Amino acid sequence: MTEHSTTAANANRLSDQELRAIDAYWRAANYLTIGQIYLLDNPLLREPLRLEHVKPRLLGHWGTSPGLSFIYTHLNRAIRLRDANMIYVCGPGHGGPAMVANTYLEGTYSEINPDISMDERGMRRLFRQFSFPRRDSQPCGSRRAGFDP
């Protein structure tokens, strides 16, 4: 390996601090996703989890969510690093809670939905609105984005 390629590889590596920050963001997005699917109350788990904190009817799937959040997290890094103009397009379906979780973490979701604040009260509302009777079952749908087909 030449010195140039070694230097280039080292320049593209994450520092330990960057790696910890990205990992923490990804874990937070995963928690927010799980909360939307499963939790009705106690969003910060300030008390031991009880049955009444869990939604009686679970809708949504966890399976695709960590991967979607992994991509979202690393694309955000690439966008900031390269000042890239980029958009993340994912298909409709079971990954909705992951996309909501990431936009909530970055603050965009609360800008569009000011009643879903970036605090415990807002998290409770975020969790309750997804897949719960008479609440938002399509968090990433066109109506959520401001379009009314």
Side-chain angles (χ1 to χ4, degrees):
M1 186 179 273
T2 66
E3 184 178 323
H4 175 72
S5 62
T6 303
T7 304
N10 288 337
N12 290 326
R13 279 200 179 127
L14 293 172
S15 70
D16 288 343
Q17 181 180 355
E18 288 172 313
L19 182 59
R20 281 191 300 275
I22 285 175
D23 181 59
Y25 182 96
W26 181 65
R27 286 182 291 117
N30 288 335
Y31 178 78
L32 290 167
T33 301
I34 285 289
Q36 289 175 80
I37 296 170
Y38 292 97
L39 290 180
L40 184 59
D41 204 356
N42 193 18
L44 295 176
L45 300 177
R46 293 189 188 275
E47 56 185 275
L49 195 58
R50 295 190 314 266
L51 188 56
E52 59 264 22
H53 297 150
V54 179
K55 292 178 180 177
R57 181 174 178 222
L58 302 177
L59 298 173
H61 296 275
W62 167 248
T64 60
S65 298
L68 290 169
S69 290
F70 184 84
I71 292 167
Y72 199 104
T73 302
H74 286 279
L75 283 178
N76 270 344
R77 177 179 177 267
I79 289 166
R80 286 191 321 273
L81 186 66
R82 295 173 178 86
D83 193 26
N85 289 318
M86 183 183 307
I87 187 169
Y88 181 7
V89 177
C90 69
H94 303 307
M99 302 311 286
V100 168
N102 281 281
T103 57
Y104 178 78
L105 269 179
E106 70 182 22
T108 308
Y109 195 86
S110 295
E111 286 176 16
I112 295 169
N113 303 282
D115 59 317
I116 309 293
S117 52
M118 301 279 297
D119 55 16
E120 186 172 2
R121 181 174 168 257
M123 280 179 68
R124 182 176 291 106
R125 285 183 169 196
L126 180 75
F127 290 0
R128 283 182 175 221
Q129 78 176 1
F130 179 76
S131 287
F132 198 66
R134 295 172 302 284
R135 303 284 167 92
D136 188 7
S137 62
Q138 299 296 323
C140 293
S142 59
R143 290 183 195 277
R144 174 63 57 200
F147 300 104
D148 193 4

